[in-house]
Amino acid sequence: MRKTETFYDVIRRQGITRRSFIKFCSLTAASLGFGPDAKTAMAEALETKERVPVIWMHGLECTCCSESFIRSAHPLVKDVVLSMISLDYDDTIMVAAGHQAEAILEETKQKYKGKYILAVEGNPPLNEDGMFCIDGGRPFVEKLKYVAEDAMAIIAWGACASWGCVQAAKPNPTQATPIDKVIRDKPIIKVPGCPPIAEVMTGVVTFITTFGRLPELDRQGRPKMFYSQRIHDKCYRRPHFDAGQFVEEWDDEGARNGYCLYKMGCRGPTTYNACSTVRWNGGVSFPIQSGHGCIGCSEDGFWDKGSFYDRLATINQFGIEANADRIGMTVAGVIGGAIAAHAAITAVKRVTTKREKTDV
Amino acid sequence: MSLFDPLATLDAHGERAVERQSVYVYEAPVRLWHWINAFSILMLALTGYLIGSPLLSMPGEASANFLMGYIRFNHFAAGQILAIALILRIYWVFVGNVDARQIFYVPVWSGRFWKECVHEVRWYAFLISKPKKYVGHKPLAQSAMFLMFTLPLLFMVITGFALYSEGTGRDSWEYSLFGWLFSIWPNSQDVHTFHHLGMWVILVFTMVHIYVAVREDIMSRQSIISSMISGERMFKDLED
């Protein structure tokens, strides 16, 4: 078996001399205000620390996360895959196939017990004993549980692994289930989005490899650094929202002037993601900049909240499609009618009893 | 309790003059809370509806307009006032009189309560001609206020602050206090929807509340509307 490459090996492989490497360590140690011993400690850490082994598995999914990942610009995905992590297994992009590939999976699991990162794209369907997703001759859910046993942590890539996404939308015939509902004894970091932003994905990987631990997570298990603000909070069209300037129709003056897409069903106000700051394709654009509202793809159950073009969410509980206002107004109308009827009966009753009394 | 002397005369219809009793029921903080609620709920419902379904677009530059900003500001300000009033009111539950406690629970364990509920339902169904006299709320009013006002109000304050924390950020006290709501409903769009439905529950309650208050003021044997201004419950046993 080949020796695992350390960070120092990578640095040397990229043409940096040992002299420059030591200079870098002393300079960094001095600028951080550490003592004289720090440079040796740093150099030693970089020389001995192995790159983090990563196993990347694919469940019920569309590979859009991988597609997004390979388009990362900062850092470049080749630096991530070839220098920062040791991507030992990824059945979609690895050279090995079949039994060879499965052998690597087994080897990594044993050799780096409790040290590797398991990155999961997609989710396991649980219905029919998991038969809706077969990977390497067995249900994906079994493979997932097997590999997760010895993982240090799990990255749940995308809306599928984090929330369930389209395969878990009602009525969810395969019972597709997000990772955190299947694996409960490992730290799980959710990186939702359909797909997640490339730089967010590589950013999470960079953080884990640099600091050897998971970044700070929010209540839902998402990294705070990318998911603590809504699209709406940093949207460049926000001034139009505050001013009360909205696109009313797709081809109106407001649409041409770049007004807020709130009335067109934009999910920016309820979607936590970094699109409005990091943007897509190397910072070129993001949906709202292209004139279309956010569809809230990084949120739980975003397929089941009604049309992407309605402001108010659809409520489906009564067998009919309605929103909060329609239900509210209907109930208010019925109660209003009942009140009017009751008042009328009261009045009639009062008049008749009065008459009876005067008749007597 | 004060007693009015019976007037020893007959009225225009030749009926016997009546003895009127009045009891001090609603203490000043309770009455104040009622009217603060009335006005802030009016403001909250109006601005809240406009946040969900905004007005037509404003013309001109964005820098010259702040309509949505003002609407939201009024919503948040009214919400804060409502919340503070609710906290003070809950304090008053413990230090106020027995009637200050009434709409914060329903005595489901009391057999008498259920019996009186049935009696009151029969009164509203026109099956009996004379309602019972109550110093505080009637049993149906108590249940309706607890289930359709006090609880929804609490729900609205909690969801309201949770939604407000979306703007103030993850490090705000609003998020530390009410962020747990997003553990129950991870997609805040659901919380928005429930908050919206809560408004309709309170509005429907208000409709019934106003109708019944006016009706009972006319039909029943006690004052209702003026009691929430003066605090005195007047008993008018005209036909006794």
Side-chain angles (χ1 to χ4, degrees):
Chain A
M1 194 193 292
R2 74 195 155 82
K3 185 178 158 286
T4 313
E5 216 176 16
T6 63
F7 284 99
Y8 176 67
D9 295 333
V10 175
I11 289 167
R12 288 302 302 274
R13 184 156 53 77
Q14 298 200 336
I16 292 155
T17 60
R18 172 145 186 97
R19 189 180 168 79
S20 299
F21 170 70
I22 297 293
K23 261 159 105 178
F24 163 78
C25 290
S26 3
L27 221 102
T28 310
S31 61
L32 290 172
F34 293 147
D37 298 337
K39 77 156 207 267
T40 343
M42 276 175 81
E44 200 188 321
L46 286 169
E47 277 169 358
T48 52
K49 206 172 163 192
E50 292 176 346
R51 290 186 298 153
V52 181
V54 175
I55 294 176
W56 190 309
M57 296 202 311
H58 300 254
L60 215 57
E61 50 105 16
C62 73
T63 320
C64 75
C65 299
S66 290
E67 287 288 342
S68 176
F69 187 72
I70 60 176
R71 279 160 183 77
S72 176
H74 301 287
L76 279 170
V77 74
K78 71 125 180 129
D79 289 335
V80 175
V81 174
L82 301 177
S83 310
M84 286 158 59
I85 60 171
S86 170
L87 187 58
D88 290 0
Y89 177 91
D90 183 341
D91 45 31
T92 309
I93 59 172
M94 72 199 299
V95 178
H99 293 299
Q100 250 184 334
E102 296 306 301
I104 295 167
L105 187 68
E106 193 62 38
E107 187 190 301
T108 308
K109 179 175 146 70
Q110 273 159 19
K111 192 174 162 200
Y112 299 104
K113 200 174 165 130
K115 283 188 201 152
Y116 61 87
I117 302 278
L118 172 61
V120 189
E121 197 177 332
N123 57 29
L126 302 184
N127 232 356
E128 308 282 348
D129 297 324
M131 288 302 173
F132 290 102
C133 184
I134 303 290
D135 180 354
R138 56 182 164 163
F140 177 67
V141 60
E142 282 176 21
K143 184 171 171 178
L144 174 69
K145 283 180 179 163
Y146 175 70
V147 180
E149 283 172 353
D150 295 326
M152 175 183 102
I154 299 173
I155 303 178
W157 286 138
C160 301
S162 303
W163 304 120
C165 205
V166 68
Q167 60 272 44
K170 280 172 202 143
N172 192 0
T174 64
Q175 211 195 321
T177 310
I179 306 301
D180 63 333
K181 301 265 165 65
V182 178
I183 310 291
R184 293 184 179 276
D185 54 348
K186 293 283 169 189
I188 296 176
I189 173 170
K190 290 180 177 179
V191 187
C194 192
I197 303 169
E199 279 75 16
V200 168
M201 299 177 79
T202 49
V204 167
V205 170
T206 311
F207 188 98
I208 296 172
T209 51
T210 309
F211 298 103
R213 59 179 170 86
L214 293 185
E216 208 184 330
L217 305 182
D218 71 1
R219 209 178 285 271
Q220 276 94 344
R222 304 173 293 198
K224 271 187 176 174
M225 52 185 169
F226 297 115
Y227 292 92
S228 59
Q229 276 188 318
R230 298 170 295 173
I231 307 289
H232 192 56
D233 293 319
K234 288 282 168 71
C235 182
Y236 80 105
R237 296 194 184 199
R238 180 63 189 264
H240 290 298
F241 171 82
D242 289 330
Q245 297 178 320
F246 303 101
V247 176
E248 314 271 351
E249 301 278 344
W250 285 118
D251 53 355
D252 70 357
E253 196 57 30
R256 273 188 286 278
N257 288 341
Y259 284 178
C260 174
L261 293 156
Y262 187 77
K263 282 191 182 176
M264 305 309 290
C266 178
R267 297 280 190 265
T270 52
T271 304
Y272 289 82
N273 209 333
C275 302
S276 49
T277 42
V278 176
R279 306 193 186 193
W280 287 80
N281 300 318
V284 172
S285 182
F286 73 112
I288 294 168
Q289 197 172 339
S290 311
H292 189 284
C294 165
I295 62 170
C297 75
S298 56
E299 288 298 316
D300 180 30
F302 74 102
W303 295 99
D304 291 325
K305 308 294 174 207
S307 165
F308 292 145
Y309 305 102
D310 288 335
R311 173 75 254 140
L312 303 175
T314 299
I315 301 168
N316 247 335
Q317 311 307 334
F318 306 103
I320 45 143
E321 286 195 5
N323 63 33
D325 274 346
R326 241 170 279 158
I327 292 172
M329 280 177 194
T330 310
V331 173
V334 170
I335 298 290
I339 288 174
H342 198 265
I345 298 172
T346 307
V348 169
K349 200 93 177 167
R350 199 167 162 86
V351 171
T352 50
T353 45
K354 274 247 174 81
R355 195 171 296 150
E356 273 163 30
K357 229 170 247 173
T358 44
D359 286 350
V360 174
Chain B
M1 193 181 279
S2 62
L3 283 168
F4 287 91
D5 284 328
L7 303 169
T9 47
L10 301 179
D11 69 2
H13 299 286
E15 278 180 286
R16 193 166 55 81
V18 287
E19 180 182 354
R20 291 200 169 179
Q21 284 184 314
S22 89
V23 187
Y24 188 58
V25 191
Y26 302 121
E27 296 162 299
V30 176
R31 282 176 279 148
L32 192 67
W33 183 62
H34 176 269
W35 293 110
I36 288 175
N37 276 347
F39 289 112
S40 42
I41 287 170
L42 191 67
M43 172 62 95
L44 282 162
L46 195 70
T47 51
Y49 183 81
L50 290 179
I51 290 169
S53 312
L55 296 163
L56 283 178
S57 282
M58 300 297 289
E61 285 295 319
S63 56
N65 292 291
F66 199 57
L67 181 65
M68 203 64 179
Y70 289 129
I71 289 174
R72 291 174 74 241
F73 173 80
N74 279 304
H75 191 80
F76 300 147
Q80 304 268 9
I81 291 171
L82 185 90
I84 289 172
L86 181 65
I87 291 169
L88 294 177
R89 181 64 177 79
I90 289 171
Y91 165 74
W92 201 255
V93 166
F94 297 102
V95 298
N97 65 14
V98 102
D99 298 294
R101 244 156 266 169
Q102 233 191 340
I103 65 166
F104 287 85
Y105 70 98
V106 177
V108 284
W109 56 87
S110 149
R112 185 162 159 240
F113 171 80
W114 289 109
K115 220 178 261 168
E116 294 190 355
C117 267
V118 171
H119 185 271
E120 211 192 334
V121 168
R122 285 166 60 83
W123 152 244
Y124 281 117
F126 307 103
L127 293 173
I128 42 177
S129 56
K130 220 156 103 187
K132 282 195 164 135
K133 281 201 285 190
Y134 290 94
V135 172
H137 292 296
K138 299 178 178 188
L140 273 191
Q142 183 177 4
S143 328
M145 283 186 199
F146 178 73
L147 294 173
M148 283 187 71
F149 183 72
T150 312
L151 288 186
L153 194 73
L154 268 172
F155 179 78
M156 294 303 268
V157 167
I158 292 168
T159 50
F161 274 100
L163 292 174
Y164 189 61
S165 81
E166 296 201 286
T168 51
R170 293 298 198 225
D171 300 321
S172 62
W173 65 265
E174 288 94 350
Y175 188 74
S176 351
L177 275 184
F178 300 104
W180 51 266
L181 215 70
F182 298 118
S183 300
I184 307 174
W185 296 295
N187 188 343
S188 78
Q189 201 184 350
D190 292 333
V191 183
H192 280 264
T193 305
F194 299 143
H195 194 69
H196 211 120
L197 282 174
M199 172 190 83
W200 284 107
V201 171
I202 291 182
L203 285 188
V204 166
F205 167 80
T206 308
M207 288 167 61
V208 176
H209 174 64
I210 293 173
Y211 169 65
V212 172
V214 172
R215 183 179 190 270
E216 291 304 279
D217 206 63
I218 301 167
M219 306 280 294
S220 80
R221 300 150 78 190
Q222 61 246 310
S223 71
I224 305 281
I225 299 170
S226 59
S227 304
M228 205 27 96
I229 297 166
S230 66
E232 305 268 344
R233 170 84 77 228
M234 199 106 85
F235 293 101
K236 36 183 185 181
D237 284 316
L238 268 171
E239 280 144 35
D240 268 1

